[in-house]
Amino acid sequence: MEGRKNAKSGMVVAPHRLAASAGSRVLAEGGNAIEAAIAAAATIVVLYPHMNSLGGDNFILIGDGRRPIAIDGCGRAALLANNDFYKSQGINQIPERGPLSALTVAGAVSGWQQALLISRKRGGKMPLGRLLEEAVFYGKKGALVSGTLHRNTKSTLDQLKDVSGFSDVFLSNGLPAKEGTNFKLPSLANTFERLALAGLNDFYIGDVAQTLVTDLIAAGSPLRSEDFQRHEAEIFEPLTIKLKSGRVYTTPPPTQGLASLIILGLFDRLKCTGPDGFSHVHSLVEATKHAFSIRDKYISDPDHMKISPDYFLQNKFLDGLVKKINPKEALQWPMPTRNGDTVWVGAIDEEGCSVSLIQSIYWEFGSGVILPQTGIVWQNRGTSFSLNSGNPNFLTPGKKPFHTIHPAMALLNDGRLLVYGTMGGEGQPQTQAALFTRYVNFSQSLQKSISAPRWLLGRTWGDETPRLRLENRFKPSVVSALELAGHDIEIVGDFDEIMGHAGAVVRDRNGNFQGASDPRCDGAALAP
């Protein structure tokens, strides 16, 4: 859904309409974009519990029309989690699900906490209880089960039905809750209420933290109290690239934000005749292959990286890399892939404060472990670690895991401010590139840039294939041209959820707003 183009008082986009509404009401009551984004992010924890949770991580960009700052709400590996810990149990690969995949601290709450400190310095006055109010309401009173929640519960049932706590929360008489039925999360609502009273830091050093650790230990996770006490969100400089159209920002490692900027940097150097034709799709797919090659070889916890990510964004490097792209022929594929599950929230207020926030539990339902006393779904982000010492993401106690999630923000030469993002694992940098190039390079409307047919190379939602998946709305001539160039094509649905849930908000130099949400989700772009 596209927001009003003449809106003057701000706009919020989220992949569930009720979450966008929670944020827009905060703007209407005088809150700023940071407060609105946190209200939306908290609410969607209850509405889309299969995609995000208090048991996940987040990354946030906060700007005001100039260079933004970035918040890293990423949890580190448990101090007990190392190669010997897993191999002593006869495990040579970190499990994808269950308590042994729940090995990293959840950093999302600390990301919100850090963002609120910034908000207070900028005059934000909204009480925490108000920002969490609608999360509490929908947790207690319930909300209708979305199609995406039903489908993902059904598709993961065999994997997760025996994982600690999953069946008690997400199944009814052993079956997934039906779409359109009322679904409550009372224990989670109580946790939000506790945090509203005690403060967000209670998640790490207070009563909530003690309850979390008790349940994690009982489930079999290696996380302990010390891991929570040592955690804090970090503020850092964003990763950035200068394009012909303006400057784009995202988050540096341990996220794959570098891959997104490489894709845009390469496309900026290529000739393309127009949107959604062969040259557009082929150029971005080939740029993605080179970007993923660099990502998989180098990106890790920044404390463990030997090469600065800025090196790969220098003109000299990109000028050399673009020469490897054949405008008529596809590079051989596949390469190692990753998957993921996420929500993105964006907000801009009338003062120009802008937020691009993304939070995730990695795969759908994360580890599948539901902590009974708090109702929290714990992430399985630690499965991105490797037990192979030659891998850049080799498991080390206290190390940050690799993240597919990365929010984006752009300051365009004509004065427009754009915040955008999407869920979708490997698809995130690809969808971001499709959205950006359609809207900025080819002047499509914001809504069309998101609604137009998309493609996916790689893995998302636990579904891996080496083929290039295309939605069935591409012209047959484009599909044929891609096949002739050597792309291994698979046609999927018209608005297929594997392509992610994108969203964007724009504020122009005159203070007018546009917003757009993805028809592949339940979202909205709303003004106060």
Side-chain angles (χ1 to χ4, degrees), residues 74-79 81 103-105 230 254 299-305 382 385-386 388-389 391-402:
C74 169
R76 297 178 182 270
L79 295 177
L103 66 112
T104 59
V105 175
R230 295 171 72 246
I299 292 181
S300 177
D301 182 329
D303 292 340
H304 293 256
M305 289 179 62
F385 285 121
S386 171
N388 178 357
S389 60
N391 189 296
N393 288 292
F394 176 64
L395 177 62
T396 304
K399 188 176 183 179
K400 292 182 179 180
F402 170 85

Side-chain angles (χ1 to χ4, degrees), residues 135-169:
V136 172
F137 175 83
Y138 292 116
K140 288 189 172 183
K141 300 296 183 180
L144 298 183
V145 173
S146 63
T148 177
L149 174 56
H150 171 76
R151 288 190 297 272
N152 279 272
T153 307
K154 185 177 180 180
S155 66
T156 58
L157 184 59
D158 289 342
Q159 295 179 51
L160 299 178
K161 62 184 178 181
D162 296 325
V163 176
S164 177
F166 181 84
S167 295
D168 294 337
V169 174

Side-chain angles (χ1 to χ4, degrees), residues 80-95:
L80 291 178
N82 58 29
N83 202 35
D84 292 339
F85 171 82
Y86 286 95
K87 292 196 172 181
S88 67
Q89 301 182 55
I91 296 174
N92 293 316
Q93 182 177 339
I94 297 171

Side-chain angles (χ1 to χ4, degrees), residues 10-326:
M11 189 165 285
V12 180
V13 178
H16 196 292
R17 185 180 184 87
L18 294 178
S21 178
S24 68
R25 277 197 280 268
V26 167
L27 289 182
E29 293 171 20
N32 60 34
I34 300 172
E35 294 166 328
I38 291 172
T43 303
I44 205 165
V45 164
V46 178
L47 300 171
Y48 265 18
H50 56 304
M51 288 187 174
N52 73 133
S53 168
L54 296 179
D57 287 345
N58 63 22
F59 293 89
I60 309 172
L61 292 175
I62 299 175
D64 56 4
R66 298 182 294 274
R67 184 182 184 91
I69 59 174
I71 296 174
D72 177 338
C74 169
R76 297 178 182 270
L79 295 177
L80 291 178
N82 58 29
N83 202 35
D84 292 339
F85 171 82
Y86 286 95
K87 292 196 172 181
S88 67
Q89 301 182 55
I91 296 174
N92 293 316
Q93 182 177 339
I94 297 171
E96 296 177 346
R97 304 286 196 175
L100 293 179
S101 70
L103 66 112
T104 59
V105 175
V109 173
S110 70
W112 297 350
Q113 183 180 33
Q114 193 66 256
L116 283 178
L117 290 175
I118 295 170
S119 172
R120 299 291 185 261
K121 292 177 182 178
R122 298 187 178 192
K125 297 179 181 178
M126 279 277 179
L128 177 61
R130 173 62 190 90
L131 302 183
L132 305 183
E133 184 177 284
E134 294 190 47
V136 172
F137 175 83
Y138 292 116
K140 288 189 172 183
K141 300 296 183 180
L144 298 183
V145 173
S146 63
T148 177
L149 174 56
H150 171 76
R151 288 190 297 272
N152 279 272
T153 307
K154 185 177 180 180
S155 66
T156 58
L157 184 59
D158 289 342
Q159 295 179 51
L160 299 178
K161 62 184 178 181
D162 296 325
V163 176
S164 177
F166 181 84
S167 295
D168 294 337
V169 174
F170 289 107
L171 302 184
S172 177
N173 297 319
L175 298 173
K178 293 182 179 179
E179 182 177 355
T181 58
N182 198 47
F183 181 69
K184 301 178 182 180
L185 292 168
S187 295
L188 183 59
N190 292 338
T191 302
F192 272 113
E193 284 188 318
R194 171 63 192 174
L195 293 174
L197 290 172
L200 295 178
N201 206 39
D202 200 68
F203 192 91
Y204 300 98
I205 61 172
D207 291 341
V208 171
Q210 292 178 13
T211 302
L212 293 174
V213 172
T214 298
D215 284 351
L216 284 163
I217 292 174
S221 165
L223 286 165
R224 300 293 185 266
S225 294
E226 185 179 358
D227 299 309
F228 284 77
Q229 294 164 5
R230 295 171 72 246
H231 174 81
E232 62 179 352
E234 301 178 55
I235 295 177
F236 54 92
E237 288 291 311
L239 203 59
T240 183
I241 190 170
K242 181 70 171 71
L243 305 175
K244 295 185 183 80
S245 55
R247 186 168 287 278
V248 181
Y249 299 91
T250 188
T251 45
T255 80
Q256 68 170 338
L258 174 63
S260 278
L261 297 190
I262 291 174
I263 293 169
L264 292 179
L266 292 174
F267 187 82
D268 215 39
R269 289 162 166 77
L270 295 168
K271 293 181 180 180
C272 186
T273 55
D276 305 323
F278 168 78
S279 63
H280 183 210
V281 178
H282 175 77
S283 295
L284 286 176
V285 170
E286 295 307 291
T288 296
K289 292 175 181 178
H290 288 286
F292 281 4
S293 176
I294 293 167
R295 178 200 69 182
D296 292 341
K297 186 175 181 180
Y298 295 105
I299 292 181
S300 177
D301 182 329
D303 292 340
H304 293 256
M305 289 179 62
K306 297 180 180 179
I307 300 178
S308 169
D310 292 319
Y311 168 79
F312 302 104
L313 298 174
Q314 294 176 9
N315 287 333
K316 182 178 180 181
F317 180 84
L318 292 173
D319 289 343
L321 189 60
V322 75
K323 295 176 182 178
K324 298 181 180 181
I325 294 179
N326 187 321

Side-chain angles (χ1 to χ4, degrees), residues 342-411:
T342 307
V343 297
W344 176 85
V345 171
I348 308 177
D349 63 32
E350 60 184 341
E351 302 298 326
C353 178
S354 55
V355 180
S356 185
L357 181 156
I358 196 159
Q359 58 193 35
S360 172
I361 49 176
Y362 202 22
W363 295 14
E364 63 272 48
F365 298 106
S367 66
V369 173
I370 318 298
L371 305 181
Q373 297 184 77
T374 57
I376 290 175
V377 182
W378 210 262
Q379 65 185 357
N380 65 335
R381 183 60 62 176
T383 61
S384 64
F385 285 121
S386 171
L387 299 182
N388 178 357
S389 60
N391 189 296
N393 288 292
F394 176 64
L395 177 62
T396 304
K399 188 176 183 179
K400 292 182 179 180
F402 170 85
H403 270 273
T404 51
I405 63 174
H406 56 293
M409 184 178 293
L411 303 177

